[in-house]
């Protein structure tokens, strides 16, 4: 990324420091570099000699603009950007199955404990069994 510095020189030389002005092409090139896979904004900012927060602002501004207003550094990147558009694809997922619930009955009589697990889908049968047991 060397040699990409394309800034407009400071308006006033002297002890007071002025803000640098960057061309639209420079900004577009930096924003496009951020879109490359595996590139971090911090690395792109360092390579371009700018503050990462400034680059984040440029990226945010570019995302807010309609795509036709974005100026590309070269036509090759524009063609790649058009090819790699994100597309929503609906996916049908199976209905979630509730976890298998069991009715758990624990009976204690003295030192003896009996635990019975009954499928929740057969709750009526479990109730009938309990009535029989308790008579």
């Amino acid at each position: 990324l060397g040699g990409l510095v394309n800034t407009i020189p400071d308006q006033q030389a002297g002890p007071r420091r002025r803000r640098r002005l960057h061309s639209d092409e420079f900004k577009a090139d930096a924003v496009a570099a951020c879109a490359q896979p595996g590139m971090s904004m911090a690395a792109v900012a360092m390579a371009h000699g700018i503050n990462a927060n400034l680059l984040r602002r440029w990226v945010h501004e570019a995302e807010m603009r309609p795509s036709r207003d974005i100026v590309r550094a070269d036509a090759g990147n524009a063609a790649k950007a058009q090819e790699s558009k994100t597309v929503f694809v609906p996916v049908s997922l199976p209905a979630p199955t509730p976890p298998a619930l069991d009715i758990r009955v624990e009976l204690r009589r003295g030192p003896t404990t009996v635990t019975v697990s009954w499928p929740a889908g057969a709750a009526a049968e479990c109730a009938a069994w309990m009535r029989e047991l308790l008579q």
Side-chain angles (χ1 to χ4, degrees):
L1 293 176
L4 294 177
V5 178
N6 185 11
T7 60
I8 300 170
D10 293 338
Q11 300 296 323
Q12 173 187 10
R16 189 165 179 225
R17 188 173 172 178
R18 305 280 268 167
R19 289 181 184 237
R20 291 188 298 169
L21 299 175
H22 302 280
S23 68
D24 290 340
E25 182 181 359
F26 178 81
K27 292 177 186 179
D29 183 54
V31 169
C34 289
Q36 299 301 316
M39 291 297 288
S40 72
M41 279 198 205
V44 173
M46 283 180 64
H48 285 78
I50 58 175
N51 185 289
N53 292 325
L54 178 61
L55 180 57
R56 281 186 189 87
R57 189 177 78 208
W58 292 348
V59 169
H60 177 73
E61 289 171 357
E63 289 170 349
M64 300 313 280
R65 274 185 262 146
S67 61
R68 59 181 160 73
D69 292 344
I70 297 174
V71 177
R72 300 280 179 200
D74 61 56
N77 284 343
K80 288 178 188 174
Q82 289 296 330
E83 292 172 8
S84 64
K85 277 189 176 178
T86 303
V87 178
F88 175 75
V89 178
V91 176
S92 298
L93 298 175
T97 56
L101 298 176
D102 286 339
I103 299 170
R104 186 167 182 235
V105 179
E106 190 172 285
L107 302 170
R108 291 186 191 164
R109 181 153 297 167
T112 306
T113 302
V114 176
T115 303
V116 177
S117 292
W118 206 287
E125 290 84 357
C126 181
W129 177 77
M130 291 288 294
R131 280 192 291 277
E132 288 287 324
L133 181 68
L134 297 174
Q135 285 184 0

